[in-house]
Amino acid sequence: MLVICSNGLSSDKLLSEVKNKITGTTAALVVTGDPEYKEKDWNVPRCKNELEQLGLTVSFFDLDFDNPNDLLKYDVVEFIGGNPFYLLDRIRKIKCENVLKEIVKKKVLIGWCAAALCFSPSIELINIYSPELNFVNLTDFKGLSLTDIIILPHYSKFINKFD
């Protein structure tokens, strides 16, 4: 199962839907999307709490240091937000695409903000609206295509800046 959202499991209905799909007790909270703060990102305590509300034991996971194949050991894998250019570049460099596809088939993969963009067919929208985030100089904006839906998380930030 794939869950893409803007800001985590932020509603009771969404929490309930995810809870119905969980078959185990472990979760990985992937903090790679925030290359500066990682597990100290201000969203992490809330996300950890949401996963714990689902009865899960939560471990932090970082694709900058941890083996991506180890994600297959978890029943739920949630990617926090951050920088989509950095996250997509990292996923590609460590060849994590097939691991994520396997998780979607057999377990629960949650991606919000940066990860939601990366899991879609393209991150081109964020390149249009926030190209300054691309400090890794990514030129291929093709996403992982775990879904055919392209979203723009936090689109309301852009309403007053762009037509």
Side-chain angles (χ1 to χ4, degrees):
M1 173 182 183
L2 176 64
V3 178
I4 57 172
C5 42
S6 198
N7 197 27
L9 301 175
S10 56
S11 76
D12 290 338
K13 185 170 180 164
L14 187 54
L15 278 165
S16 177
E17 285 295 320
V18 170
K19 186 173 183 122
N20 291 333
K21 302 294 183 185
I22 296 172
T23 59
T25 61
T26 60
L29 189 58
V30 182
V31 298
T32 311
D34 183 341
E36 184 175 353
Y37 294 105
K38 307 273 184 190
E39 66 276 352
K40 293 181 175 135
D41 179 288
W42 67 278
N43 290 293
V44 166
R46 176 185 53 85
C47 294
K48 184 175 185 276
N49 182 278
E50 289 167 356
L51 292 169
E52 289 172 342
Q53 285 180 42
L54 297 173
L56 299 167
T57 302
V58 181
S59 300
F60 295 121
F61 199 94
D62 189 347
L63 296 175
D64 286 332
F65 305 105
D66 299 317
N67 183 331
N69 292 312
D70 289 344
L71 285 173
L72 296 169
K73 298 175 185 176
Y74 294 94
D75 304 301
V76 175
V77 176
E78 180 174 347
F79 279 70
I80 69 166
N83 185 312
F85 298 101
Y86 180 80
L87 181 59
L88 184 58
D89 184 59
R90 189 69 194 136
I91 288 169
R92 286 179 182 159
K93 282 183 176 169
I94 63 169
K95 300 183 181 352
C96 187
E97 298 97 322
N98 289 334
V99 169
L100 297 176
K101 289 176 183 176
E102 190 69 21
I103 292 167
V104 169
K105 285 183 202 171
K106 298 181 178 177
K107 301 179 181 197
V108 177
L109 178 63
I110 302 164
W112 53 273
C113 190
L117 282 159
C118 293
F119 295 168
S120 74
S122 173
I123 67 167
E124 180 67 34
L125 280 176
I126 202 65
N127 188 56
I128 292 168
Y129 294 116
S130 291
E132 71 279 1
L133 295 175
N134 191 1
F135 70 87
V136 294
N137 298 315
L138 199 67
T139 57
D140 177 2
F141 303 119
K142 184 177 182 219
L144 302 177
S145 293
L146 300 178
T147 179
D148 60 356
I149 297 168
I150 297 176
I151 67 163
L152 181 61
H154 317 299
Y155 75 95
S156 59
K157 291 181 180 179
F158 305 110
I159 289 175
N160 293 327
K161 290 172 63 176
F162 301 95
D163 288 335

